[in-house]
Amino acid sequence: MGIDIHWVFQAHKNNQWVDIPSKYNGIRDYYLYDWLGTGGQQAITKPRGFPSDFMFDADGCRHPYKDYASDDRNLYKFMGEWGYSWLSGAEIISAPIPVKNMRIWVPIDVYNEWDKCSNPKLWYELHSDWQQQEYSERYATPENITDDTWWVIIDWIYDFTEDFEYFVGEVRRLLSVHENVRFVFGFG
């Protein structure tokens, strides 16, 4: 089971908020979602609900929008089922990017190529049930690596700046074009 984000960028023009196209693709990114506002410790803010001037249907989960490809205004965009919130572009670009103490694992070949300073190019958070998984004997810490090791467990201080640049960079771009932007979203 996963969490998806449902969203729209809007710009303030002629005293109203209007939907604007974006290059953000909304791919599933739990760490980004946590930072945007699912209520985690390093979230920019706790969920705020939809802005008071945000248009949505009576069910509270669909937003009328314009399809920029077809110029059709009679469409609705699903906005999720929970965690409704919004952030201004200024809030997003000024918020500190999370740095998190994590226990991660990396494939042995990635570990062997890694400089041990930058973020590993491929990593996964190690979950508490890892020892119950099949092949758990193939995990090792750096000091216990053997010829049978497939994955290396590392305690790492992970900086998400590079990971979030695709999103924050798009917000910067939208602000340079539209000046006043907000990101309205929900999860589901």
Side-chain angles (χ1 to χ4, degrees):
M1 183 171 152
I3 299 171
D4 292 310
I5 193 167
H6 304 276
W7 55 273
V8 64
F9 275 104
Q10 296 186 313
H12 198 251
K13 297 180 179 194
N14 300 323
N15 292 322
Q16 64 180 356
W17 289 96
V18 297
D19 298 349
I20 56 173
S22 165
K23 295 177 184 174
Y24 172 58
N25 60 15
I27 59 171
R28 194 174 281 175
D29 186 335
Y30 302 119
Y31 299 107
L32 178 67
Y33 300 169
D34 192 47
W35 180 60
L36 291 174
T38 58
Q41 287 182 339
Q42 295 188 359
I44 296 172
T45 184
K46 297 207 180 296
R48 303 171 163 166
F50 287 134
S52 61
D53 58 355
F54 186 70
M55 294 180 4
F56 55 91
D57 68 359
D59 294 340
C61 63
R62 293 185 309 148
H63 167 68
Y65 82 105
K66 174 181 172 160
D67 180 352
Y68 295 95
S70 68
D71 242 2
D72 188 352
R73 289 189 173 272
N74 298 322
L75 299 175
Y76 285 87
K77 182 172 185 67
F78 180 65
M79 293 300 294
E81 299 167 320
W82 61 276
Y84 303 122
S85 196
W86 64 276
L87 293 164
S88 72
E91 286 175 305
I92 293 168
I93 65 168
S94 66
I97 304 290
V99 175
K100 182 177 176 182
N101 290 324
M102 300 177 73
R103 178 160 277 188
I104 62 175
W105 64 267
V106 297
I108 187 69
D109 58 330
V110 172
Y111 180 80
N112 288 335
E113 294 172 3
W114 178 44
D115 66 8
K116 316 305 186 264
C117 295
S118 60
N119 287 338
K121 72 177 181 182
L122 178 67
W123 62 273
Y124 301 92
E125 191 166 4
L126 186 70
H127 297 284
S128 58
D129 66 346
W130 71 273
Q131 291 177 319
Q132 282 115 32
Q133 295 177 10
E134 188 176 9
Y135 303 115
S136 62
E137 72 279 358
R138 302 290 186 169
Y139 287 87
T141 56
E143 62 275 3
N144 296 320
I145 293 174
T146 68
D147 290 340
D148 295 326
T149 301
W150 290 0
W151 309 290
V152 182
I153 299 170
I154 305 162
D155 290 319
W156 189 248
I157 300 173
Y158 200 88
D159 182 342
F160 287 89
T161 301
E162 191 175 308
D163 297 74
F164 292 176
E165 182 53 34
Y166 74 100
F167 179 78
V168 175
E170 176 61 1
V171 174
R172 277 192 205 97
R173 185 189 73 77
L174 291 172
L175 283 168
S176 73
V177 173
H178 300 286
E179 197 171 314
N180 192 359
V181 172
R182 71 182 180 188
F183 181 66
V184 183
F185 61 95
F187 299 103

